[in-house]
Amino acid sequence: MYWIRSKKLKERLALGFGASLVLFTLLLVIDLQMDLGVSRGEFIPSHGRVRFASEDDKSGIYNEFHRKYLAKSNASGSKEYLTTNPHTRGRTDTSGAGYPSKQVTTAPPHDRFKDLTALVVAPKNRRNPQFYERIVVKEDQSDDENPTLAEMLDLRVSPNATNLERFQLSITKNELYAKSDKLVDAVIQDMVSMPIKHVVQKEGGTQIKLIIEYPNDIHALFKPMRFPREQQTLPNHFYFTDYERHNAEIAAFHLDRIMGFRRAMPVTGRILNITTEIERVCDDNLLKTFFISPARNKCFHGKCSYYCDTSHAICGSPDTLEGSFAAFLPTQADTQRKVWRHPWRRSYHKRRKAQWETDPDYCAMVRDIPPYDEDRRLLDLMDMSVFDFLTGNMDRHHYETFKIFGNDTFPIHLDHGRGFGRPFHDELSILAPLLQCCLIRSTTLETLLLFHNGPKSLSEQLRDSMANDPIVPVLWEPHMVALDRRVAIILQAIRDCVKKASEEEDFDAAGQNHLDQSFS
Ligand SMILES: Nc1ncnc2c1ncn2[C@@H]1O[C@H](COP(=O)(O)OP(=O)(O)OP(=O)(O)O)[C@@H](O)[C@H]1O
Ligand SMILES: [Mn+2]
């Protein structure tokens, strides 16, 4: 009798365990899309897909690339924070002393990556797709409709609409603005030259941001300068405790534009008078945080969860202050944005790892989950990975899309304040999406090849693009060098992907031959 009861109990337990397993898997899948915060790396991956055929590749291309690259770059030693100088012992020099010493080694000949160029120019083979077409993807956009926000909302642009309003209403399903859009410069010019009417602190977010109000209901998002350009990310800071850099926002906008993405709102620098253009026109809450520092500079700190106190105040010199001004996203009714959790989000914890950091098959799981299973979204994440790797931004926790355009629309490139912090370090983990999926848009690869082979390098194009910004030079020179270096690293990553896939193709073909022979 007891035995029967215990057996029932066992069965019940087994049933219960089975049910909770199903529920847990469901939760993980939903979490990936809806950001419930369950899959933050605490759990061992339950899916065991085998992506690569060869036995020695259990860790995947991402880890392999990491190892290979580290082995190369470690030979020359770290160039960051050369602090072990007897005269500076005990102090960490973050003012740019980490400029790399001139290397004695001769540079290898320029690799033009002709193998990759061949893949970009090869026509798409619809009938009999080649193995590399799964890596370098050519999109079919022939029947792609691209409505504007104005069309979707059935709004007409009124004759006295401001440049910003026109810009906002001409945002399309595919991009924020068209390649030759004249409104971009007009919107920037307005933000630079219009008088500031009112200032309030933006609520939410972790670090201080101000909403700037100009006449005619024009708004911009302001991030203040905290440090000189040469200041690098503090060595003991994590990506999530790093200070935001106003110039990173400006440079990111220009980079996004010359990459041909056009997914970042226009951003410009501007030099303000902190007294007349902020203190005298701000609301009471912000006004309460103003003070004069011992050096007789005008300062304020606002209220926020990171660095909003007297010891982290924003100070003028004595009352001039530099900052970045981002054109405001649309505020019209029905232009709400959907917030998505980034599948390759980091753990935002000083000890924990995210699932993608330990699971080489992570991409295979993401590929199955809407909206990453169709249309452009996964390719957009690859673009974002390229973009963030170039700037060194590790802070991509969420991204936003315009709800009204549905799922087959671009992710808005927002929040780049934590880029451009470590010019002597290339953070390969930012490339994890690209390396784990082995996937890139053909047009993006083409752009990278053009930067790499000229006639104009990425840094030269960026320098030209930012030449008219009021706070030029926007970036410290080592960041420019880093950009060109990183382009070559991305190209090498794609080459490795293609090589691996071609080896597998050969391996499969050989296996097929072998089978054919044994049957004949
Ligand atoms: N140009 C813009 N116009 C209007 N709203 C914006 C603009 N840029 C960003 N925002 C909104 O403000 C929020 C915070 O901006 P941002 O991410 O740059 O600041 P943050 O302090 O880094 O925030 P968080 O700490 O949440 O990452 C964004 O999530 C976005 O919804
Ligand atoms: Mn942020």
Side-chain angles (χ1 to χ4, degrees):
M1 198 59 192
Y2 170 77
W3 183 81
I4 293 172
R5 225 183 274 156
S6 84
K7 192 182 172 202
K8 269 192 178 161
L9 189 71
K10 267 187 201 162
E11 276 172 1
R12 263 186 251 154
L13 271 174
L15 214 73
F17 180 71
S20 49
L21 209 69
V22 170
L23 267 174
F24 177 68
T25 315
L26 249 170
L27 195 66
L28 271 183
V29 170
I30 295 171
D31 174 61
L32 241 159
Q33 298 174 57
M34 300 186 68
D35 191 23
L36 304 176
V38 181
S39 59
R40 300 231 167 120
E42 299 95 305
F43 304 106
I44 299 158
S46 53
H47 49 94
R49 253 167 256 263
V50 181
R51 192 177 137 76
F52 296 112
S54 52
E55 259 300 291
D56 59 346
D57 187 40
K58 293 231 171 63
S59 58
I61 275 206
Y62 166 55
N63 289 339
E64 219 173 78
F65 193 77
H66 222 141
R67 271 197 299 275
K68 196 169 92 181
Y69 185 76
L70 281 182
K72 258 192 220 162
S73 61
N74 278 352
S76 57
S78 171
K79 291 148 194 159
E80 303 171 274
Y81 308 110
L82 305 177
T83 54
T84 41
N85 173 331
H87 303 293
T88 58
R89 222 148 43 95
R91 271 191 287 136
T92 304
D93 187 351
T94 55
S95 63
Y99 216 133
S101 53
K102 283 214 172 67
Q103 299 215 343
V104 203
T105 47
T106 48
H110 182 78
D111 180 346
R112 294 183 64 85
F113 288 91
K114 283 189 180 158
D115 48 337
L116 296 183
T117 307
L119 306 187
V120 169
V121 294
K124 181 172 170 168
N125 193 336
R126 279 193 190 75
R127 286 247 176 102
N128 184 19
Q130 300 289 308
F131 74 92
Y132 57 79
E133 289 178 66
R134 287 195 306 272
I135 300 171
V136 180
V137 174
K138 294 193 167 137
E139 284 164 298
D140 217 340
Q141 286 165 327
S142 42
D143 54 352
D144 196 11
E145 275 191 29
N146 191 24
T148 62
L149 265 186
E151 284 160 3
M152 298 295 290
L153 300 172
D154 209 10
L155 283 175
R156 259 215 209 139
V157 184
S158 78
N160 54 2
T162 62
N163 289 322
L164 180 59
E165 234 176 312
R166 287 170 199 273
F167 180 97
Q168 291 170 338
L169 288 173
S170 61
I171 291 173
T172 65
K173 181 170 137 253
N174 291 344
E175 54 192 13
L176 281 177
Y177 53 95
K179 192 172 178 191
S180 52
D181 197 335
K182 296 274 186 297
L183 278 169
V184 178
D185 288 339
V187 164
I188 286 179
Q189 200 43 49
D190 285 350
M191 292 193 291
V192 172
S193 57
M194 287 183 112
I196 295 173
K197 255 181 60 187
H198 191 60
V199 176
V200 290
Q201 196 186 324
K202 183 173 189 335
E203 290 183 5
T206 44
Q207 293 184 39
I208 192 160
K209 285 172 294 293
L210 305 179
I211 297 178
I212 305 285
E213 197 184 320
Y214 300 96
N216 304 321
D217 214 21
I218 297 175
H219 290 84
L221 194 66
F222 172 85
K223 292 194 179 182
M225 165 169 152
R226 280 187 180 274
F227 305 109
R229 310 276 192 279
E230 299 78 27
Q231 172 97 34
Q232 299 174 53
T233 300
L234 295 174
N236 292 324
H237 268 197
F238 289 93
Y239 51 91
F240 53 88
T241 49
D242 190 14
Y243 294 107
E244 301 226 54
R245 284 167 286 274
H246 70 306
N247 60 329
E249 293 281 1
I250 304 167
F253 155 68
H254 287 269
L255 179 66
D256 170 89
R257 177 159 69 166
I258 60 180
M259 290 284 306
F261 296 145
R262 297 186 288 276
R263 296 170 205 155
M265 286 299 273
V267 185
T268 177
R270 173 168 170 174
I271 296 170
L272 290 180
N273 181 313
I274 195 172
T275 306
T276 57
E277 295 182 291
I278 302 185
E279 189 184 25
R280 286 205 194 131
V281 290
C282 74
D283 76 333
D284 279 350
N285 288 333
L286 188 59
L287 189 62
K288 280 183 205 148
T289 73
F290 272 78
F291 62 96
I292 308 262
S293 77
R296 310 296 309 156
N297 293 322
K298 176 75 60 81
C299 308
F300 68 95
H301 56 67
K303 279 195 186 120
C304 62
S305 46
Y306 275 41
Y307 313 127
C308 279
D309 51 52
T310 314
S311 55
H312 297 97
I314 315 289
C315 293
S317 159
D319 61 2
T320 40
L321 175 70
E322 205 178 282
S324 68
F325 292 70
F328 232 60
L329 284 158
T331 45
Q332 290 93 343
D334 291 324
T335 56
Q336 295 104 322
R337 301 184 299 274
K338 187 173 162 84
V339 180
W340 305 77
R341 171 187 161 80
H342 196 298
W344 276 268
R345 173 196 154 104
R346 286 167 203 278
S347 68
Y348 286 79
H349 187 284
K350 53 185 171 289
R351 283 181 297 270
R352 256 181 243 150
K353 278 190 169 184
Q355 191 186 338
W356 61 265
E357 292 180 84
T358 51
D359 178 4
D361 295 323
Y362 187 74
C363 181
M365 179 187 66
V366 177
R367 276 180 192 269
D368 279 348
I369 301 170
Y372 307 106
D373 60 342
E374 59 177 5
D375 298 330
R376 56 178 294 167
R377 190 63 63 83
L378 194 59
L379 287 169
D380 286 336
L381 289 195
M382 300 303 126
D383 283 347
M384 222 189 258
S385 160
V386 166
F387 181 61
D388 289 341
F389 177 68
L390 289 173
T391 67
N393 176 20
M394 299 170 77
D395 188 30
R396 191 65 79 181
H397 41 93
H398 291 85
Y399 64 87
E400 301 179 17
T401 57
F402 289 107
K403 260 187 199 161
I404 200 162
F405 292 133
N407 279 357
D408 192 16
T409 184
F410 65 96
I412 309 165
H413 288 173
L414 279 179
D415 191 8
H416 308 118
R418 284 182 172 141
F420 297 104
R422 299 178 70 185
F424 307 116
H425 168 84
D426 304 319
E427 182 54 50
L428 283 182
S429 65
I430 308 173
L431 270 190
L434 186 136
L435 281 163
Q436 291 184 341
C437 298
C438 272
L439 179 70
I440 190 165
R441 261 202 178 95
S442 180
T443 47
T444 305
L445 175 57
E446 195 177 348
T447 308
L448 291 168
L449 283 162
L450 262 173
F451 290 148
H452 184 70
N453 291 326
K456 263 195 173 173
S457 67
L458 172 56
S459 61
E460 285 170 322
Q461 291 197 42
L462 191 63
R463 203 188 308 281
D464 288 354
S465 181
M466 302 193 298
N468 294 325
D469 195 278
I471 66 155
V472 77
V474 175
L475 286 179
W476 185 34
E477 201 51 36
H479 292 294
M480 297 300 220
V481 178
L483 282 169
D484 294 333
R485 184 179 69 233
R486 289 170 191 162
V487 168
I489 295 173
I490 302 167
L491 292 174
Q492 186 59 49
I494 299 161
R495 174 183 275 168
D496 281 17
C497 278
V498 173
K499 211 167 133 210
K500 188 109 201 163
S502 100
E503 281 164 12
E504 276 165 26
E505 184 86 354
D506 291 348
F507 180 81
D508 287 350
Q512 192 56 49
N513 281 343
H514 187 73
L515 271 181
D516 291 349
Q517 276 165 18
S518 51
F519 277 111
S520 62

